[in-house]
Amino acid sequence: MIHMNNAGKEKWVLSLPPVIYLVGLFLIPTILMIFIAFREPGDYGGVAPLITHNNGSTSLNLTLDGFRYAFSSSFIWKLFLRSMLYSILTTFCCLLIGYPLALLIAKSAKKYRDLLLLLVIIPFWSNFLIRVYAWMILLGPNSAISNVVNSIRHLFGLEPLDLLFSSAAVIICLVYINLPFMILPLYANLEKHDYALIEASRDLGANKSRSFWQITVPLSMPGILAGCGLVFIPCIGMFVIPELVGNNCSMMIGNLIKQQFLQTMNWPLGSVTSIVMTLLVLSISLFVGFLASRSGGLKYARK
Amino acid sequence: MQGSNKISKSLRVTGTLVYLFLYLPLIVLIVYSFNDSRVNVGWVGFTLKWYKVLFADKQLINAAINSLIIALIASTVSVILGTLAGVALHKYKVPLLSTLVMIPVAAPELLVGVSLLLFFILINFTLGMASITLAHIAFCVSFVTIAVKTRMHGMDNSLLDAARDLGASPVKSFFLILIPTILPGVIAGWLMAFTLSIDDFVITFFTAGVGSSTLPLAIYSMLKMGVTPEVNAASTIIILVTLVLTSVATKLSPQLFK
């Protein structure tokens, strides 16, 4: 029996229940998945038994085939590249749309700021399927947007397009779903800027655009990076949006993982793909974190 | 950005357009839920028939009831675990716990979903209401923990010291002093967990199995079939309910959303 003082006892009385629960439902399943990545697929889905007895010899069925297959399959590579491309495009669009709005809110009078910010968050609170569905209506055949796009295409002698079930629809939905994640960190950063810096630059003869690009943007770098990270990372693993508004040519890596676990039932390959995706996401977040630590923000102000 | 009340016209216009981009889809959806037409194209006339269809839809009603049951259990259990975790992390350094709490916040939902699916199948746990609830508790705990920790951040520790000096046992001071003090944070955490659970699609999708359905799962399968005004009616109701719940949560704990 280890003697514990009261504080030590209390620490464990408090943290043991949540620790046990989270170890059981996060840590163990994650470790299981890593383990399954090195197993062989079963004949009827799932995994093959770990130990088999054949003609008196016992063999341990562990393999790297899953990883070999994943890295040699051009199909999987293509899906990873497409997921990256879509996520980069989404992040860029969110930055382009989100920056002006974050700037507008930061520049608004104090009494309106909370309301304007709330207006950004409200749509984001309603279920994300509903928000994707709203775009299914807006982009559907014969919708106003479809008609405008297709009449413009008609002017140029192009065939009418199906807007819904296209890569464009996937990008639009990804941007719509992730936009608040870009705006909030940007606003949090822009709100803290000292306006005196802008005034000083204007007094020294910089025009509006020069002070924006040389002062506001460099100062908001930490906010930009945080926003980009928060949009990019969840974007990589999205599978519902391509499923609902995409087509066969806009499938993402998440769709493949879902298929491997629920349809083709190749668990080892599914686990391998999931692990590769996690490592990708992890390395990107570390990279963004590294960039953020280098852009201290205010050091630019003294240049 | 103090002292900058010169907002250029182009910024105002851009901002308005972005707000339009945020709200137009939801407005169109709500308007069409009262539209007397099978297809969501153009306004025909006002009707409440989609709401009648919705309330007669046994499958959807059952899914909604399932969602409510799961959310009530998941948010209540996760509030207990999350409050313990929040208090523990506020008072002590528990590296393992702080890492575990960060996982569901940072990891892509898809990964949490598939790893839980593997786990439940491998331990021979039947997929259904129970597995969904267990999964929901797991990701809700993190958010409650953050809510409680945020609330405790500005707390005066002298109250607890005073209680101990006056001879209260740790258990007694926990329930009589600490809990009432952080109650707004706990309630906000409960509401947040409830909303997260009701809303969750991805993790539920992997842990539901075949027999049981929740409201998001039911809506998803309707969407796979095609667009129907009944979904508009369901969506409109969900939007309104979410709005009410979250505004209550914001009132209780404004610093949560900062």
Side-chain angles (χ1 to χ4, degrees), chain A residues 6-8 10-15 17-19 21-30 32-33 36 47 97-98 100-101 103-110 113-123 125-131 133-138 141-143 164 172 175-176 179-180 183 190-196 198-199 208 216 233-234 237-240 243-244 253-255 257-258 261-262 265 267 271 274-275 277-278 281, chain B residues 1-8 11-12 14-16 18-19 21-26 28-29 32 40-41 77 81-85 87-88 91-97 100-101 103-104 106 108-112 114-123 133-139 141-142 170 174 195 198-202 205-206 215-217 219-220 223-224 226-232 234-236 238-239 242-243 246-247 250 257-258:
Chain A
N6 270 343
E10 189 191 53
K11 173 176 165 177
W12 288 111
V13 167
L14 288 171
S15 40
V19 164
Y21 196 94
L22 295 176
V23 165
L25 278 127
F26 280 131
L27 206 60
I28 292 174
T30 310
L32 263 179
M33 194 163 80
I36 295 233
V47 282
I97 299 171
L101 192 64
L103 195 62
L104 178 78
I105 300 173
K107 281 185 168 186
S108 296
K110 260 213 159 69
R113 274 187 220 165
D114 280 351
L115 176 68
L116 288 173
L117 205 58
L118 195 66
L119 282 175
V120 172
I121 306 172
I122 286 172
W125 275 335
S126 53
N127 188 301
F128 104 105
L129 283 170
I130 293 173
R131 285 177 285 149
Y133 171 69
W135 281 100
M136 288 171 84
I137 296 175
L138 282 175
N142 297 322
S143 67
L164 187 62
I172 290 172
V175 171
Y176 187 67
L179 191 57
I183 293 174
L190 286 166
E191 174 205 38
K192 293 191 192 80
H193 287 202
D194 188 352
Y195 193 65
I198 305 275
E199 278 180 334
K208 266 192 176 159
T216 308
I233 290 160
M238 290 208 167
F239 71 95
V240 182
E243 202 140 281
L244 289 175
I253 198 70
N255 301 77
I257 293 175
K258 183 207 129 189
F261 279 105
L262 296 178
M265 298 299 278
W267 288 6
S271 302
S274 305
I275 289 166
M277 187 182 106
T278 312
V281 166
Chain B
M1 275 258 178
Q2 276 84 34
S4 59
N5 30 23
K6 291 181 300 230
I7 302 175
S8 68
L11 190 61
R12 265 179 217 282
T14 317
T16 313
V18 179
Y19 276 122
F21 173 70
L22 282 174
Y23 280 91
L24 188 73
L26 296 180
V28 166
L29 187 151
Y32 275 155
N40 291 307
V41 178
V77 176
L81 292 171
T83 305
L84 290 174
V87 175
K91 291 175 87 167
Y92 309 101
K93 277 202 161 43
V94 196
L96 174 67
L97 184 58
L100 282 170
V101 164
I103 292 176
E109 281 186 303
L110 172 70
L111 294 168
V112 177
V114 292
S115 65
L116 282 168
L117 168 75
L118 279 183
F119 173 71
F120 285 130
I121 292 178
L122 289 172
I123 62 167
T133 312
L134 288 170
H136 281 208
I137 293 167
F139 71 79
V141 166
S142 309
F174 180 85
T195 319
I198 280 264
D199 248 4
D200 181 76
F201 172 76
V202 175
F205 179 75
F206 286 103
L215 194 53
L217 292 190
I219 288 177
Y220 173 76
L223 295 188
K224 294 285 281 184
V227 171
T228 127
E230 195 191 335
V231 185
N232 297 29
S235 306
T236 305
I238 293 170
I239 291 171
T242 317
L243 211 60
T246 34
S247 51
T250 323
F257 301 96
K258 287 277 185 297

Side-chain angles (χ1 to χ4, degrees), chain B residues 161-177:
Chain B
D161 296 339
R164 229 199 347 254
D165 291 343
L166 293 168
S169 66
V171 177
K172 205 168 174 176
S173 67
F174 180 85
F175 282 106
L176 290 180
I177 313 277

